[in-house]
Amino acid sequence: AHRPLRGQKAIVTGGSSGIGAGVARAFARAGAAVGINYRSGREAAEALVEEIAREGGEAIALGADVSDEGQVQAMFRAALDAFGRLDILVANSGIQQDAPIAEMTAAQWRRVIDVNLTGQFLCAREAVRAFLAQGVTPDGPSRAAGKIVCMSSVHDVIPWAGHANYAASKGGVALLVKTLAQELAEKRIRVNAISPGAIRTPINREAWATPEAEARLLALIPYGRVGEPEDVAEAAVWLASDASDYVVGTTLYVDGGMTLYPAFRDNG
Ligand code: NAD
């Protein structure tokens, strides 16, 4: 089998469900050892570790709230103790706490920014520290000193009424990624983002759980199907592998065309 991540060590935050679980499975199949971060889903993370081991892959479960500096630092220490090095971070954890702006509490605003934006900063910083400490290893498993893939969203460009905290967090991720990429390229650290469209996961269950809801959602998707975690996972494998070695600071939209303003197709 083609194993573009052979010998590499990765951390995937929010790896026990949805897109993160898809990324963890695809990374393991691609030859990486995967640290599967979870916050509350310990059993799901451990079940995924066992599933990956049964298929001949390597994984460990890593508990941490990505918005907590001390927990993030402890998680990276645990991963480095287990793996001996780190090649890839997929900063994927994210939440929604939706409310019209007039009703949004400061707690809802802060929690979403803390997890979706500050959490990506904290994890990226610890990954960069590990990458800088190990440097480019000429006979290492990758041409880069390290790779970071941040999970953004089409809502880093598409405004989203009723979700101001979420859209602001993803807009922040978009420029965090470009700035880190610009700052770290000379150290041979590559930072890129994936912006998924509508992917079938627990975060948006009400958007696809009934045929009526799915039909409304499909009106926004030119390609005519809801995305699956595997669609995003394949993009993450590519962005983490040497196949994308010259891709620095880009955002890859994996959205079935959702960012193409499909309403203009029929009403332009
Ligand atoms: P999900 O709810 O299955 O995954 C989110 C993960 O983040 C969960 O595993 C959860 O445990 C974890 N998490 C939440 N708070 C955390 C914290 N404080 N610390 C550590 N982990 C925490 O949903 P998903 O769709 O797989 O979401 C993954 C990412 O993809 C998110 O960043 C989300 O914003 C983004 N995204 C999803 C879609 C979609 O349509 N599903 C679209 C665009 C972007």
Side-chain angles (χ1 to χ4, degrees):
H2 181 52
R3 287 158 70 85
L5 303 181
R6 189 173 42 203
Q8 300 196 44
K9 315 295 183 187
I11 292 177
V12 180
T13 69
S16 65
S17 68
I19 291 171
V23 171
R25 286 189 180 93
F27 273 26
R29 280 195 299 269
V34 190
I36 297 170
N37 160 257
Y38 64 91
R39 187 186 60 86
S40 53
R42 182 195 189 116
E43 282 170 15
E46 282 170 356
L48 185 51
V49 165
E50 278 170 30
E51 176 196 319
I52 286 172
R54 274 198 307 276
E55 288 170 13
E58 189 185 345
I60 58 172
L62 296 167
D65 180 332
V66 296
S67 70
D68 183 299
E69 183 174 27
Q71 291 185 36
V72 169
Q73 290 176 325
M75 171 172 75
F76 276 79
R77 276 196 300 277
L80 286 166
D81 282 350
F83 293 152
R85 62 178 288 123
L86 185 69
D87 301 284
I88 304 159
L89 165 68
V90 180
N92 165 77
S93 291
I95 56 169
Q96 288 179 216
Q97 292 196 6
D98 310 329
I101 193 66
E103 285 153 36
M104 187 174 286
T105 65
Q108 287 174 319
W109 173 268
R110 285 205 187 92
R111 187 61 188 152
V112 170
I113 298 293
D114 278 355
V115 174
N116 295 14
L117 183 55
T118 307
Q120 296 223 2
F121 154 68
L122 290 170
C123 291
R125 188 187 64 183
E126 295 312 309
V128 167
R129 287 173 173 169
F131 298 158
L132 291 175
Q134 95 203 359
V136 181
T137 40
D139 52 359
S142 166
R143 293 178 70 182
K147 284 93 46 163
I148 298 175
V149 178
C150 291
M151 207 54 72
S152 186
S153 164
V154 291
H155 297 295
D156 61 6
V157 292
I158 304 179
W160 202 15
H163 309 259
N165 48 2
Y166 184 85
S169 75
K170 296 300 189 180
V173 167
L175 267 176
L176 174 66
V177 163
K178 287 188 200 302
T179 299
L180 297 187
Q182 186 198 60
E183 183 173 330
L184 297 165
E186 66 176 2
K187 306 291 189 190
R188 296 271 294 278
I189 296 170
R190 294 194 298 114
V191 186
N192 292 289
I194 296 174
S195 286
I199 312 299
R200 203 184 300 276
T201 76
I203 208 173
N204 58 1
R205 177 174 299 281
E206 74 289 349
W208 49 261
T210 67
E212 299 73 32
E214 183 158 346
R216 278 196 304 278
L217 185 58
L218 287 175
L220 301 174
I221 307 172
Y223 204 58
R225 68 172 174 86
V226 176
E228 304 294 338
E230 295 69 35
D231 292 310
V232 180
E234 291 301 327
V237 169
W238 182 73
L239 279 177
S241 78
D242 280 354
S244 65
D245 189 55
Y246 209 53
V247 178
V248 174
T250 199
T251 296
L252 181 53
Y253 287 84
V254 180
D255 69 349
M258 192 176 244
T259 42
L260 299 175
Y261 298 94
F264 280 78
R265 188 181 40 191
D266 308 315
N267 302 310

